[in-house]
Amino acid sequence: MLKFNVRNQNIQRIDGFSPAEKSENYLEAIFDFKTEDWKGVTKTAVFENAKTKVIKDVILVNDKCVVPWEVLESNSVIKVSVYGVGLSEK
C-alpha cells in the first residue's frame, strides 16, 4: 500500500512499500489530506510512469484508489500527484 500526506500543494510519500511490477487491481494508494483547502472537492490522483510516459487519472473514493497497473511496468519511477475540482462549502 502506498501512503501519502498532502498539505496544501505539497505531497509526500510516507510508506516504505516496494510495489511489484504489473500488480493488476491490487496495489492501493491512500492519501491523507492535512489542510482545509482539500475539503469539499472531488479529488483525483494522477499516476505517471517516468520511463514509458503512461499517465492515468483515478478519482479518489474516501481518499484512496487502486493504482493503475499500466504505470507499474518497466521497472520505473512512478510520479504521483493529486488535484481537486469543486468549491469548498463554508
Side-chain angles (χ1 to χ4, degrees):
M1 180 179 309
L2 305 180
K3 296 180 182 179
F4 300 90
N5 280 341
V6 183
R7 290 185 190 281
N8 300 314
Q9 294 184 26
N10 298 307
I11 186 170
Q12 177 185 19
R13 185 168 168 201
I14 58 170
D15 69 274
F17 184 77
S18 295
E21 194 171 346
K22 298 182 182 180
S23 296
E24 191 167 347
N25 297 319
Y26 172 74
L27 182 60
E28 194 171 57
I30 295 179
F31 299 83
D32 187 3
F33 294 90
K34 302 286 192 180
T35 51
E36 294 292 316
D37 53 331
W38 288 100
K39 292 204 188 272
V41 299
T42 300
K43 301 167 200 128
T44 301
V46 181
F47 298 92
E48 178 183 356
N49 182 304
K51 189 175 187 180
T52 64
K53 304 298 184 199
V54 170
I55 300 171
K56 295 289 182 178
D57 290 12
V58 183
I59 295 174
L60 301 182
V61 176
N62 296 323
D63 295 339
K64 59 185 173 181
C65 68
V66 174
V67 177
W69 66 269
E70 297 93 338
V71 301
L72 299 173
E73 294 193 0
S74 301
N75 196 25
S76 178
V77 170
I78 301 166
K79 298 177 183 180
V80 180
S81 60
V82 290
Y83 65 90
V85 177
L87 297 176
S88 298
E89 292 184 28
K90 298 191 182 202

